[in-house]
Amino acid sequence: MSDMSEAPRMDRVEDPVSRMNNNRQFKLLADIPVRMSVEVGSTSLRLAEVMDLSEGSIVELDRQADDLLDIMVNGALIAKGEVVTVNGRYGIRIVDIAATENRLAGIERRG
């Protein structure tokens, strides 16, 4: 009996038919609209504190001013980024992408 611990690892090779089916499935999903949002921060308030808010009120959030912002798709964290301006509008530069399994888990649970 031979020791297989030193055998070369065989990577899974995707056959052309599987690749074609995956591309076809992606095309079916590619046009589905999703909602992207950016979360600057959050905080917890009592209802009385919310009722006391007025113009000029300041609400302290749970992040530092230089922290990266959460980029969410349908409520699932997909990336982190920083604010930029593009032609006088806000934009977001993606700095870090969340792991694929984390991104998909957030989207799947809303299905």
Side-chain angles (χ1 to χ4, degrees):
M1 205 186 301
S2 68
D3 182 9
M4 294 298 289
S5 63
E6 294 183 22
R9 184 172 167 239
M10 298 293 291
D11 289 331
R12 183 176 157 225
V13 177
E14 187 175 21
D15 64 277
V17 173
S18 293
R19 185 175 300 128
M20 186 174 66
N21 287 337
N22 288 341
N23 287 341
R24 199 175 294 142
Q25 290 171 347
F26 175 73
K27 286 180 183 178
L28 288 171
L29 300 174
D31 289 332
I32 296 173
V34 295
R35 182 75 177 165
M36 178 184 275
S37 59
V38 178
E39 185 174 298
V40 176
S42 63
T43 191
S44 295
L45 299 172
R46 294 187 327 252
L47 183 55
E49 293 171 310
V50 173
M51 299 299 294
D52 286 340
L53 293 175
S54 62
E55 287 184 33
S57 295
I58 295 175
V59 178
E60 187 176 340
L61 302 176
D62 61 352
R63 297 211 183 162
Q64 299 296 316
D66 59 350
D67 285 350
L68 294 175
L69 308 179
D70 290 340
I71 302 170
M72 318 285 277
V73 170
N74 289 356
L77 177 68
I78 63 151
K80 293 202 175 263
E82 57 192 13
V83 175
V84 295
T85 57
V86 181
N87 298 324
R89 293 178 171 242
Y90 287 115
I92 189 89
R93 176 181 296 122
I94 296 174
V95 174
D96 186 33
I97 299 286
T100 303
E101 54 274 4
N102 294 346
R103 289 183 280 156
L104 293 177
I107 293 169
E108 289 171 354
R109 74 171 176 255
R110 287 161 180 71

